[in-house]
Amino acid sequence: MNNPLRLKAFLKAVKNKFDVYNSLFLNLPFQKVSNTGMLIPLLQHLCKQGLDSRREPLEILDSFFSNHTDIKTEEEKIDFMFHVIRYVERQVVLYDSVEDAAFEQLVKLGNHLSLKDCITLLDSSKKSHKIADNLSCFSARIVLTAHPTQFYSPAVLDILGKLKSMIARNDIDQIDLTLQQLGLTSLINAQKPTPLDEAKNIIHLLRHVYYEAVGELYATIKRHVPDTFFNCPHIIQLGFWPGGDRDGNPFVTSETTSDVADELRMNLMKCYYQDVKRLAQKLTFRGIEAILDNLRTRLYKTMFDPTITMRYDEIVNPLVAIRASLIENYNSLYLDELETLIDKVNIFKTHFAALDIRQNHGVHKQTVEAILKQENLIAHSLDELGTAEAIAMLVNADISVHPGQFDDALVKDTVRTIVQVKHIQRKNGESGCNRYIISHAEDIFSVLFVFCLFRWCGWGKNDLPVDIIPLFESMEGMKNAGSIMQALFDVPEYRAHIVQRRNRQTFMLGFSDGTKDGGYLQANWSIYKTKETLSAVCDRHGIKAIFFDGRGGPPARGGGKTHRFYASLGKNIANHAIELTIQGQTITSMYGSKAHFIHNCEQLLTAGLSSSLLEQENAIPDDSRQLIDKLAHLSFEKYTALKNHDLFIAYLENKSTLNYYGRTNIGSRPYKRGDKEKLDFNDLRAIPFVGSWSQLKQNVPGYYGIGTAIQSLVDDGKTDQLKRLFNDVPFFKALILNSMMALSKCYFELTGYIAGDPVYSDFWNMLAEEYRLSKEMVLLISGYRELMEEEPVSRKSIEIREGIVLPLLVIQQYALQKIEKHATRQPLYEKIVERSLYGNINASRNSA
């Protein structure tokens, strides 16, 4: 809700501080152009003034050069624009640091229900006996991905960390020095990172932030739960995709996966070693010293040599023995510190974060067919077999394969990856790699292919310690998910596997590709209903349904206010765990410091526990469901018409930055699937798709169709019903508020010149009209006077960020206009467009 005190604190701690440090930063001479920084505020003002007056970027910048600088030649203009881009990128880093430094102060003024508050409420309502039981059955899994929306190196992340602490202390001299370092440090990778590079960047955070943060959070939970013997180390889990996610990334191989698993384990051993070293300096007691010295020596050997490992029990048992000795012989001195380390070992074991494997269903089909052809069980294709015959063959065929049998590189690597999961489990423990995710799962064979491949690659039918997770991400896949899983559970061999996996089935639902396929409202409502359907199917079979959400940063990819979304889910959706991907710059913006990590993890736990503990069922009445159904259908029709428009792909290719995503050195993964020369919508990845709309400041996937849908029902006289829907149904309100965030980041004036384009004029006007209508309609049903009225701090932060990057965006559009006019120095203008992507991606923090 609106909180004037928090907004006042934000303005003082963030906006005012940023203005001070920014003025200091802009006066620093970098790149031998001493006046670039001083001209940026003027350029920012002229860009806003010009765009609001409907002047195009070409005119705004040419006027700026003519009237406010002595820059004359095209070469000098280009040079200046590159300098502005570099300054803006660093202004974004500075603003991030100022905002993050104020986080702990501002979060105390928020309306957040902390885990401690939640437990206190339950205790006062005489439900304290349920707390430990519910917490012991619940977990939150944060799965870190390397999707290409975060590109800072560990060196830059360290500068960010230093700036945060200096700003918190207001250490002006050190801030000045660090800003100079920032100005001279490259923020951009010299070349595309490898998947192993991406993994190491995130492991850097695991080691230097999450190791301590998870331990501290778990200690907090134990301290506040009214159960002396509470022991539930699985309540906070970390997952890891870099090095394991090979869907559409040809650079992730079985060797990469093995190397990343080793990196995770060896970095964890370094953390344990440092903790044991610190304990040894305090536990200087007879009998204990020798145990710690031996443990420390053994840990040291595992830190650098991937062939030397220690089992979980070899680490934890000596610590347990020391605990007994401390209690019995040494007055429990330093017992709390020892207990904290034991808890960390129980949480992280020998894997640090669980390495997930993900691959596309089509690759599994190709691999299975290659095996069956080699075994002379089919001639060419599985299509030769009927469904029942194919199922019987997959679950019963006694086949043994190894990678060396195949010439095809993809088939060979797929087999090798499945074989090596067993080796990773031997080195990192079962939890180190025991989930296999199948993207584009759309039939029963999506799961059965993987099930049989594990059997054929040396895993026993009755001993497969791996969760097979279908990812339903298209509208068709979600529509059929219930019947697919019903059919799977009817296969005795697969049902027996589920029994082995503690009668739990994990499903992944993809917000990113779902929204790309069906539009914002339809995708989110389909995901909600799919969760209800799968929960019911699992309930009928006595299976616990676990939902793993593929959420991106922005609302268009399932982002936005995560706590609000999970707290709004209804009673018909299984609530045993919250599992979600954390992508791109969301990793550093929401989980990049210990304070951020602990707060956001607590919010996930309170969101998941609130319905079961506080009896908030959030049931959606039938009449409300019918209303949402109608809205989703109408918005889907509007979005589908846009997708099918003759100019849709052409607009993205010719008027947006889409084609430039593949040129950046942000991530290792190609910006589209496959290698077709002509762009196919289905092969387009969600990140560059959503990101391109964000660079245009049009954010189409975050709202398109909502305005038309609401307007249609308003015309039918249902305004009051829509207002009640917004106020009474938390799930619907969460969707609309997240969509408001997308609308808040729109600025159609930036591309207003396209309204006069001979080819794209009507198309641009169609987009602008739906934006205006959507804004008008969400304000109507919410009763707000402005977007994000309940969130003034977030709204102000967006306003500041959008202001910082405005010169960069105008320069980007200027360069695109120059390219379109076939100006001289074409390659340099293309480089400007490419370089301008970085700052805008990071400024929005959830732009892609």
Side-chain angles (χ1 to χ4, degrees), residues 712-729:
S712 178
L713 295 189
V714 167
D715 291 344
D716 287 344
K718 296 182 178 177
T719 303
D720 289 342
Q721 290 165 265
L722 289 167
K723 289 181 177 181
R724 285 196 297 273
L725 187 66
F726 177 83
N727 289 311
D728 297 343
V729 178

Side-chain angles (χ1 to χ4, degrees), residues 269-270 272-277 280 288-305 308-310 314-315 318:
M269 296 302 120
K270 291 172 184 175
Y272 288 160
Y273 176 84
Q274 290 299 326
D275 272 356
V276 170
K277 182 180 177 181
I288 290 179
E289 280 184 304
I291 298 174
L292 283 175
D293 186 57
N294 179 58
L295 178 57
R296 187 172 154 190
T297 300
R298 295 192 65 191
L299 284 169
Y300 185 83
K301 293 177 181 177
T302 67
M303 288 161 48
F304 307 105
D305 188 341
I308 301 175
T309 63
M310 287 181 71
E314 292 177 313
I315 301 171

Side-chain angles (χ1 to χ4, degrees), residues 332-366:
S332 298
L333 200 62
Y334 298 117
L335 181 61
D336 286 349
E337 292 178 45
L338 176 65
E339 290 279 11
T340 298
L341 177 55
I342 292 173
D343 286 339
K344 288 176 184 173
V345 175
N346 285 330
I347 293 167
F348 297 119
K349 296 186 169 63
T350 55
H351 63 276
F352 216 163
L355 183 60
D356 288 351
I357 308 295
R358 183 171 76 132
Q359 183 56 285
N360 192 290
H361 165 57
V363 174
H364 302 136
K365 182 179 182 182
Q366 179 183 340

Side-chain angles (χ1 to χ4, degrees), residues 359-649:
Q359 183 56 285
N360 192 290
H361 165 57
V363 174
H364 302 136
K365 182 179 182 182
Q366 179 183 340
T367 304
V368 167
E369 287 184 333
I371 293 169
L372 294 179
K373 281 192 286 186
Q374 195 172 81
E375 296 289 323
N376 296 316
L377 293 172
I378 60 173
H380 302 288
S381 166
L382 275 163
D383 296 337
E384 300 161 18
L385 309 176
T387 300
E389 186 182 3
I391 292 173
M393 181 179 293
L394 293 174
V395 299
N396 295 318
D398 188 12
I399 298 172
S400 178
V401 299
H402 59 84
Q405 292 175 242
F406 307 97
D407 295 325
D408 184 281
L410 187 57
V411 171
K412 184 192 293 281
D413 193 73
T414 302
V415 172
R416 183 180 288 123
T417 297
I418 291 173
V419 169
Q420 80 171 11
V421 169
K422 185 175 289 187
H423 300 300
I424 294 173
Q425 288 192 358
R426 284 182 189 142
K427 295 172 81 173
N428 289 24
E430 183 199 311
S431 301
C433 187
N434 64 356
R435 289 159 41 114
Y436 198 108
I437 299 153
I438 308 142
S439 57
H440 291 283
E442 301 211 343
D443 58 33
I444 187 174
F445 294 107
S446 301
V447 173
L448 289 182
F449 286 161
V450 174
F451 180 62
C452 75
L453 283 172
F454 269 95
R455 288 199 308 105
W456 297 346
C457 291
W459 299 74
K461 178 186 292 189
N462 301 317
D463 182 24
L464 176 53
V466 176
D467 294 325
I468 301 173
I469 304 173
L471 166 50
F472 300 111
E473 49 196 329
S474 69
M475 291 298 103
E476 191 67 18
M478 285 189 274
K479 178 182 176 183
N480 298 326
S483 59
I484 291 169
M485 296 312 301
Q486 177 62 61
L488 267 172
F489 294 152
D490 287 340
V491 176
E493 291 82 359
Y494 186 74
R495 185 65 184 85
H497 168 66
I498 295 299
V499 171
Q500 292 172 28
R501 301 305 295 161
R502 297 179 298 138
N503 267 320
R504 296 161 72 94
Q505 172 68 59
T506 301
F507 307 96
M508 191 172 182
L509 299 172
F511 287 76
S512 294
D513 282 293
T515 304
K516 181 170 78 78
D517 188 35
Y520 176 72
L521 195 55
Q522 177 68 56
N524 280 275
W525 183 231
S526 293
I527 288 169
Y528 188 96
K529 293 193 295 183
T530 301
K531 285 186 174 184
E532 289 184 321
T533 300
L534 291 172
S535 297
V537 170
C538 286
D539 281 347
R540 288 198 296 270
H541 288 270
I543 297 169
K544 279 188 175 182
I546 307 295
F547 293 111
F548 174 25
D549 294 331
R551 299 175 69 88
R557 292 181 47 240
K561 300 295 183 181
T562 306
H563 172 268
R564 184 165 57 209
F565 173 83
Y566 284 111
S568 72
L569 298 182
K571 63 177 182 178
N572 295 326
I573 294 175
N575 185 37
H576 308 295
I578 287 178
E579 299 189 354
L580 72 161
T581 57
I582 302 297
Q583 303 183 1
Q585 66 272 57
T586 308
I587 293 175
T588 48
S589 65
M590 294 184 66
Y591 296 86
S593 69
K594 188 163 69 172
H596 279 84
F597 181 93
I598 290 173
H599 170 73
N600 284 298
C601 282
E602 276 199 15
Q603 289 299 289
L604 289 177
L605 290 172
T606 58
L609 294 170
S610 60
S611 58
S612 57
L613 292 178
L614 301 177
E615 298 179 355
Q616 295 176 348
E617 292 187 343
N618 290 332
I620 302 179
D622 289 342
D623 58 341
S624 295
R625 295 180 74 93
Q626 291 169 14
L627 211 55
I628 300 174
D629 268 328
K630 184 66 174 175
L631 288 168
H633 176 71
L634 290 169
S635 68
F636 179 62
E637 285 185 334
K638 181 72 174 178
Y639 180 76
T640 302
L642 176 69
K643 263 197 335 181
N644 294 336
H645 195 287
D646 291 341
L647 293 178
F648 184 74
I649 293 294

